[in-house]
Amino acid sequence: MNTRKRVLAAAVGGALVAGLAVATQQATAAPPAEAPSMNEAFTQAAKEFDVPRDLLVSVGYAETHLDGHKGKPSQDNGFGVMHLVSNPERKTLEQAAELTGESKADLKKNDAANIRGGAAVLRAKADKAGLKAADRKRVEAWYPAVAAYGGAESASLKRLYADAAYDFVSKGIPSKGTKVRMSAEKVTPERGKLAKAAAPGTGTKSDDYPPAIWNPADPANFNTGRDAAISQVVIHVTQGAYAGTINWFKNPEAQVSAHYVVRSSDGEITQMVRDADTAWHARGGNASGIGIEHEGFVDDPSWFTDAMYRSSAALTKHLCDKHGIPKDRAHVVGHNEVPGNDHTDPGPNWNWDTYMGYVNS
């Protein structure tokens, strides 16, 4: 074999060996690790930050029904399963990034990262509340930390928020629609200073609608009086939790409000703006509309309970009778149906037939 052929053969042989080596490495390389399931993510995050797992699940369920909504923000700019918030008043998203090293982008869109961030923030709230290692094993002792996680300023709202989470601890979360599992555990939360706060549902009653609780929005979020006669009821979905929505409407930075907010689980109603005043809820429909917010998210039908429909419909029926509004779909409208709006609520999961049937019953 001449020199040229020997060189060519060596080159080809070397290439074959290198190719076989690469192929062998590819064949034996470990596959990329799969992302943990949401169930596993809660277990891992609870263990890492020494947070009771079922309590962590309950906080997440109370906030979002464990739906991250593909990274889309809530009404008060909260993200993910654990509703990590980034607005002028609350910075739990930024806090979670600092505590965990996760990027804000991952905390918004990645369920496992978001759950880990929520666990870190909840543990930080516990540390600030002075919870010792021994107390961290007792679910009852976490009440002040859970109350702080919600970000409310008033004691009554803190209790409203924490009681909702502890209700799921005691009753469990619905098994339908979620792959996360937890065991119901009857607990008596240690409310501490919040024990003296008004219990949910026992606040000052509304003058406009006596079954409702009166809890006024910040004056910076609505106008006193109206520029037009009341002629329609506008149905909204909060894109957030009940307690969080009430808290947001009380925040002067929000620049938004509604007349009423309805809770998903039992239909409890809070009025935040008087009927005679102009809430900021529907742009061009503000002057003539009464806005009713409903706890939940437009893409998740699990929030739209029969209790909510019945309670809200009773309110709408009352408002129509009081203000002379026809009980039809031309005058009881969705936010998305008000001219000049780009919102989609109440969305395709809202059952108008059921709702209007209750309004006209």
Side-chain angles (χ1 to χ4, degrees):
M1 184 181 293
N2 61 35
T3 302
R4 183 173 179 276
K5 288 182 178 180
R6 283 197 300 269
V7 171
L8 181 60
V12 172
L16 285 172
V17 171
L20 286 170
V22 171
T24 301
Q25 288 174 354
Q26 290 175 340
T28 59
E34 292 185 5
S37 68
M38 191 177 292
N39 207 50
E40 294 169 336
F42 273 109
T43 300
Q44 292 171 8
K47 182 177 181 181
E48 179 181 359
F49 293 100
D50 198 15
V51 176
R53 180 191 180 279
D54 288 352
L55 179 64
L56 185 64
V57 172
S58 296
V59 170
Y61 192 84
E63 285 278 13
T64 66
H65 282 198
L66 307 183
D67 188 339
H69 304 284
K70 300 178 180 179
K72 295 179 181 178
S74 70
Q75 182 166 237
D76 53 346
N77 214 44
F79 297 89
V81 172
M82 298 303 298
H83 196 240
L84 297 172
V85 178
S86 178
N87 66 43
E89 297 296 317
R90 292 176 63 198
K91 300 288 184 182
T92 53
L93 179 72
E94 288 79 3
Q95 183 183 14
E98 183 177 348
L99 291 170
T100 64
E102 303 275 5
S103 70
K104 287 190 285 187
D106 282 344
L107 287 166
K108 289 179 179 180
K109 295 184 177 181
N110 182 285
D111 286 344
N114 186 272
I115 291 166
R116 185 167 176 259
V121 170
L122 187 58
R123 169 60 189 278
K125 302 295 185 188
D127 291 345
K128 188 173 181 179
L131 213 62
K132 304 301 181 184
D135 287 330
R136 290 200 295 270
K137 305 302 179 186
R138 298 187 304 106
V139 176
E140 297 90 335
W142 282 78
Y143 191 91
V146 173
Y149 187 97
E153 291 294 328
S154 72
S156 60
L157 273 179
K158 287 180 179 179
R159 177 164 174 172
L160 177 66
Y161 177 88
D163 279 3
Y166 271 84
D167 192 50
F168 288 119
V169 172
S170 294
K171 296 179 180 177
I173 62 173
S175 58
K176 184 178 180 181
T178 177
K179 295 181 180 178
V180 177
R181 297 291 173 261
M182 61 171 281
S183 301
E185 177 187 359
K186 187 66 177 177
V187 297
T188 302
E190 297 172 3
R191 294 188 175 94
K193 294 179 180 179
L194 292 177
K196 296 181 180 179
T202 61
T204 304
K205 295 302 179 182
S206 160
D207 291 334
D208 290 323
Y209 185 59
I213 301 163
W214 172 243
N215 196 344
D218 190 277
N221 295 332
F222 66 92
N223 290 335
T224 301
R226 286 184 180 269
D227 295 329
I230 297 170
S231 61
Q232 62 182 348
V233 175
V234 183
I235 302 301
H236 301 263
V237 175
T238 60
Q239 293 300 97
Y242 179 67
T245 298
I246 295 170
N247 191 51
W248 186 232
F249 289 169
K250 293 180 76 65
N251 185 333
E253 297 285 345
Q255 298 293 288
V256 67
S257 61
H259 292 88
Y260 299 90
V261 185
V262 187
R263 186 160 62 185
S264 170
S265 61
D266 58 3
E268 179 180 276
I269 299 173
T270 291
Q271 183 180 13
M272 303 200 69
V273 178
R274 298 292 188 195
D275 291 1
D277 292 332
T278 306
W280 298 346
H281 62 103
R283 294 184 183 174
N286 287 342
S288 61
I290 293 181
I292 306 176
E293 288 278 4
H294 297 82
E295 181 185 27
F297 292 81
V298 295
D299 58 356
D300 187 349
S302 70
W303 291 91
F304 303 146
T305 63
D306 191 62
M308 172 185 278
Y309 280 135
R310 288 180 182 274
S311 178
S312 174
L315 168 62
T316 293
K317 184 176 184 177
H318 164 84
L319 294 171
C320 288
D321 290 340
K322 179 180 178 181
H323 299 290
I325 304 170
K327 301 184 190 76
D328 59 36
R329 284 285 286 112
H331 297 85
V332 181
V333 301
H335 190 183
N336 61 314
E337 296 172 314
V338 178
N341 281 275
D342 57 2
H343 289 252
T344 62
D345 57 312
N349 292 309
W350 182 264
N351 192 325
W352 279 108
D353 290 340
T354 294
Y355 188 73
M356 294 306 297
Y358 289 151
V359 169
N360 285 286
S361 62

